[in-house]
Amino acid sequence: MTYRYFKRKLYHICWCSDLVTTRLSLSIASIVSGLFLLLPANHLDPTRTATYYVGQAFDWWVLALLFLVNGIATFYQLLKEPENHYWLTANSVLGCSIWTFITLGYFVAKYTGFDTFRPSIVSGATIAIWFASWWLLARFTLEKHCHAR
């Protein structure tokens, strides 16, 4: 595999493919995260540092509501035939904001130094979801006409 082939393939994956699978994955992740935040749990337990610091910024029900609104709106947009570019962009901004807040809040809470930094196993998935939400925002705002399907 040459560099030119790799570059062409990566360009095709990033700019010429549809975003349906990415949007469906983000929708499921947002809905499940919102539902998990509604479960009865002690999110403000100081021994759970990541959730403790994130919970200081928002009430958990507000964060759960934002996740659920984003997930349901994304799923609805996938089912709806004529897509409105402005609603896609607005929903992407909401999703990107939520996932950025959660991801950065988690890593700020976990970070004490590079020698002692031990993220959990789900950190990779959180970063992937964060990147996917940013990628949707970039694609929907940079494309002249939204070709998400």
Side-chain angles (χ1 to χ4, degrees):
M1 177 166 51
T2 64
Y3 172 74
R4 185 175 176 197
Y5 173 80
F6 176 75
K7 190 170 113 178
R8 191 170 2 124
K9 195 70 169 169
L10 187 61
Y11 177 85
H12 178 74
I13 290 169
C14 291
W15 292 102
C16 301
S17 63
D18 66 356
L19 297 173
V20 174
T21 307
T22 304
R23 292 167 60 198
L24 180 63
S25 300
L26 284 171
S27 171
I28 292 169
S30 292
I31 291 171
V32 169
S33 296
L35 291 175
F36 280 171
L37 286 173
L38 291 176
L39 290 175
N42 187 5
H43 296 295
L44 297 178
D45 181 8
T47 60
R48 300 175 64 189
T49 55
T51 56
Y52 178 74
Y53 289 118
V54 170
Q56 296 299 311
F58 284 109
D59 287 334
W60 286 105
W61 66 270
V62 173
L63 204 52
L65 182 66
L66 289 173
F67 270 122
L68 288 171
V69 165
N70 177 250
I72 292 168
T74 303
F75 191 72
Y76 176 73
Q77 289 170 348
L78 281 170
L79 298 178
K80 191 175 177 222
E81 273 309 309
E83 295 177 339
N84 185 334
H85 181 70
Y86 298 107
W87 283 112
L88 289 172
T89 304
N91 193 32
S92 296
V93 167
L94 175 63
C96 188
S97 301
I98 295 168
W99 286 109
T100 299
F101 173 73
I102 289 295
T103 305
L104 292 180
Y106 172 77
F107 280 104
V108 165
K110 286 286 192 178
Y111 180 77
T112 56
F114 282 117
D115 53 339
T116 60
F117 184 62
R118 300 285 183 259
S120 69
I121 192 98
V122 297
S123 300
T126 305
I127 291 172
I129 292 170
W130 181 36
F131 178 75
S133 68
W134 272 98
W135 187 245
L136 279 181
L137 181 62
R139 283 277 302 263
F140 289 154
T141 55
L142 293 178
E143 289 182 348
K144 195 171 209 166
H145 302 289
C146 183
H147 300 289
R149 288 192 179 249

